[in-house]
Amino acid sequence: MKVNHSFLLFFLITLFCACTPKNIYYSTFSTTAIANKGMGEYVLRVQGIGQTYQQAKKDAIRKAVYDVIFKNVSSSYGEHRMIQPVLSNPLTEQQHPDFFGSFFSAGGDYLKFVHELRLEKDKFKPQARRGVIMNVVVNRAALAKYLADNQIF
């Protein structure tokens, strides 16, 4: 009788552990400038996450442009330690929601200022979200001119 209880307890514990959702850890990865190509173009290493590989790539490309516009991007090359954001006012995104909504929409104008170099890493866990780390080139100078032409300061 004691063996049956032990077996039943073992079975229930195993079943409970198998049915609990697994937390999948994704490291946080900040966008980093890895090269200055000159003429206002920077090579950035950026992470994207999505349900599919294509969604993760789109997320990474969008994040690269977003970070160049709104955030300080750390640099891992040369004497430069930080690339300043194109827009210094953090409230600009909230002041122009329609502009940035269409700018960052699917097929939006942000795609004019960025292109993919090569895939660096492809992290994938079955039945989970997909994450990619990739290198992209962002034309910061053209992006700054575009925003100024549209009177976004």
Side-chain angles (χ1 to χ4, degrees):
M1 190 70 165
K2 199 169 208 172
V3 173
N4 283 341
H5 288 282
S6 298
F7 178 74
L8 182 60
L9 182 62
F10 175 74
F11 177 74
L12 290 175
I13 291 172
T14 304
L15 182 64
F16 177 74
C17 290
C19 293
T20 58
K22 306 289 188 263
N23 290 331
I24 297 172
Y25 173 74
Y26 286 103
S27 64
T28 56
F29 185 90
S30 61
T31 301
T32 306
I34 57 175
N36 182 350
K37 293 188 72 153
M39 303 296 289
E41 290 190 330
Y42 293 93
V43 179
L44 306 179
R45 181 168 288 147
V46 64
Q47 178 183 30
I49 296 174
Q51 294 296 329
T52 65
Y53 173 74
Q54 291 301 325
Q55 287 176 348
K57 281 179 60 174
K58 287 178 186 176
D59 181 58
I61 290 170
R62 181 189 176 285
K63 184 175 184 249
V65 175
Y66 183 89
D67 288 353
V68 168
I69 294 173
F70 295 109
K71 297 182 178 182
N72 287 321
V73 177
S74 62
S75 174
S76 64
Y77 69 91
E79 300 162 3
H80 307 327
R81 292 290 171 229
M82 198 77 62
I83 297 172
Q84 298 299 319
V86 172
L87 300 175
S88 58
N89 182 357
L91 299 176
T92 305
E93 184 179 13
Q94 296 170 359
Q95 293 169 348
H96 303 281
D98 293 336
F99 174 82
F100 287 110
S102 65
F103 182 77
F104 285 114
S105 66
D109 285 347
Y110 77 97
L111 294 170
K112 296 176 184 177
F113 307 101
V114 63
H115 66 272
E116 177 184 354
L117 279 183
R118 65 181 171 87
L119 193 62
E120 185 68 24
K121 294 180 184 174
D122 185 8
K123 301 183 295 184
F124 176 72
K125 299 206 184 239
Q127 301 170 351
R129 292 173 56 139
R130 186 160 225 184
V132 295
I133 297 174
M134 57 192 292
N135 294 338
V136 298
V137 176
V138 176
N139 190 333
R140 185 185 184 282
L143 186 57
K145 183 181 181 324
Y146 176 85
L147 293 173
D149 291 346
N150 284 284
Q151 299 178 351
I152 306 295
F153 302 108

